[in-house]
Amino acid sequence: MGIGKMGLSHLSILRQHPDVQSVAMCDSSGFVLDVLGKYTGLTSYRDYDRMLREEPLDGVVIATPTKAHFPMVRSAIEHGVNVFCEKPLTLSANQSMELAELARRSGLRTQVGYHNRFVAAFAEAKRLLELGAIGEVKHALAEAYGPVVLRAKASTWRGRRAEGGGALYDYAAHPLDLLTWYLGEPSAVSGTVLGNIFSVETEDEVYATLHYPKASAQLSVNWSDESYRKMSTKITLTGTLGRITVDRQECQVYLREQAICPSGYQHGWNVRYTTDLTDQVWFYVRGEEYSAELDYFVRSVAGNLRAGEPAERNSFTSAAVTDRVIERLVGDAALPTTPVSGPVALPGPRRQQEPASRVRQLRSRMQDRWQRRRQTA
């Protein structure tokens, strides 16, 4: 459901999956359906509920604007269909938790498209944290930059926060989801800035502080940064025994002498490249992680998970936690700021003495020494 950029990616991957038969597609654009129907042979629908009624589906992929997720996901669950939904799950933490509870009661498999959890380098960082390799995490820096919005342009749903657009929902959700995966849900947020650069109806940059019981994290996101060729997500985790810096390409790890090194690691600097950590996929579109996440969903629905694999990854329950954090950031950004009423005297370095004053002090010390020497003689 939804044949935009992500919908096309998911469709192309699933049509090549050896254990999947793609049978139907749904979109509001008749032109898109006509073109794809001609070359794919899939049954086309413009009415989502009709597709759920008429097609005997095992699973559905929902890749529409976020505003439409809640009613579509709920309808799929009510029809007994397993759901893969693009991120974020909904625009309301309460709605996300409601869907998670509906899915739990139904026993259906659910998954949300936070693909970074299927990037091998990010997964390696998670494994090292669970092993306690860098000790107790004290601070994290979560960053995402890219050249998405570089000029004022005609508004689409991505430029309207009420429909799920903007740098917070569409960009910052990824590093926030990684933070909740690594550190859990923060106890508080503060200092949130949702700034405009080119967009009119939503934000292009997001900055905030997240507070945890024994750690803090800084969020820094800007999707109007033309110094980046494409989206770049990076997490830095600083602990009592070392540090991890991880992005899609590699996992850099520094371990102090006091750290107990995991197998394959040593004290000092270590680098693990995602190409060495990543399992091969049957079909590549944009990145192995997109195929890996859909393959997990398919095997989860079919009951073919491998030994040792978690029973749930990127479930509605975990996505609801990320949605709660997003909602708290929106609320924090709306709080009034306290203006400074007057000049504030900040502590500064001790004033240097004037040269004449230093000369008088030196002369006085020399006279004192001369008097003491005369008395001794």
Side-chain angles (χ1 to χ4, degrees), residues 11-25:
L11 179 61
S12 62
I13 293 170
L14 288 170
R15 278 175 56 80
Q16 298 301 319
H17 196 289
D19 299 325
V20 172
Q21 180 186 7
S22 300
V23 296
M25 58 184 175

Side-chain angles (χ1 to χ4, degrees), residues 7 39 59 75 78 90 93 96 100 110 128 135 149 157-158 180 245 255 260 268 292 298 300 341 355:
Y39 292 102
S75 181
E78 290 171 349
T90 73
S96 295
T110 64
L128 294 173
V149 179
W157 74 267
R158 293 184 185 279
T180 61
T245 300
L255 299 175
I260 299 176
V298 170
S300 176
S341 57

Side-chain angles (χ1 to χ4, degrees), residues 23-278:
V23 296
M25 58 184 175
C26 182
D27 195 87
S28 60
S29 170
F31 173 77
V32 170
L33 293 176
D34 289 344
V35 172
L36 283 178
K38 177 180 178 181
Y39 292 102
T40 66
L42 298 181
T43 304
S44 298
Y45 291 89
R46 298 187 70 174
D47 184 325
Y48 176 69
D49 287 310
R50 180 187 170 194
M51 182 180 75
L52 291 174
R53 290 193 307 269
E54 296 185 359
E55 298 288 344
L57 304 175
D58 296 306
V60 64
V61 173
I62 296 176
T64 61
T66 310
K67 182 181 179 181
H69 286 181
F70 178 72
M72 288 183 171
V73 171
R74 184 175 58 185
S75 181
I77 293 175
E78 290 171 349
H79 282 83
V81 180
N82 300 282
V83 183
F84 180 102
C85 181
E86 261 306 323
K87 62 82 198 165
L89 180 51
T90 73
L91 299 177
S92 162
N94 286 337
Q95 287 184 346
S96 295
M97 290 185 285
E98 180 182 336
L99 293 178
E101 178 59 21
L102 282 175
R104 186 193 66 79
R105 292 201 305 264
S106 69
L108 296 170
R109 295 295 185 178
T110 64
Q111 194 172 322
V112 178
Y114 283 111
H115 61 267
N116 282 319
R117 294 198 188 196
F118 287 84
V119 172
F122 286 120
E124 178 68 0
K126 172 68 170 177
R127 187 181 76 87
L128 294 173
L129 289 176
E130 292 177 345
L131 291 174
I134 63 168
E136 184 178 3
V137 177
K138 291 297 185 179
H139 184 68
L141 173 62
E143 303 172 271
Y145 310 109
V148 176
V149 179
L150 298 179
R151 60 183 176 84
K153 57 184 179 180
S155 179
T156 66
W157 74 267
R158 293 184 185 279
R160 294 188 288 270
R161 189 191 299 168
E163 295 188 28
L168 177 57
Y169 283 112
D170 204 39
Y171 230 56
H174 283 296
L176 285 172
D177 184 71
L178 286 172
L179 283 179
T180 61
W181 194 34
Y182 292 152
L183 303 178
E185 186 171 0
S187 55
V189 301
S190 66
T192 305
V193 175
L194 303 179
N196 305 86
I197 299 176
F198 298 104
S199 299
V200 176
E201 298 181 47
T202 190
E203 70 286 331
D204 299 311
E205 55 185 356
V206 183
Y207 308 106
T209 300
L210 286 70
H211 304 272
Y212 298 86
K214 296 184 179 180
S216 63
Q218 299 297 133
L219 177 69
S220 179
V221 174
N222 185 329
W223 73 356
S224 298
D225 190 338
E226 58 191 298
S227 67
Y228 287 82
R229 184 175 64 87
K230 60 181 182 179
M231 183 181 188
S232 176
T233 301
K234 181 169 71 174
I235 306 291
T236 301
L237 300 147
T238 302
T240 55
L241 297 177
R243 187 176 70 191
I244 298 173
T245 300
V246 58
D247 59 17
R248 190 186 180 279
Q249 285 70 43
E250 61 188 23
C251 182
Q252 301 178 4
V253 184
Y254 182 83
L255 299 175
R256 299 178 64 184
E257 290 296 327
Q258 299 88 339
I260 299 176
C261 297
S263 177
Y265 286 81
Q266 62 184 8
H267 293 122
W269 281 107
N270 304 261
V271 180
R272 294 293 181 270
Y273 298 101
T274 196
T275 50
D276 298 326
L277 298 167
T278 302

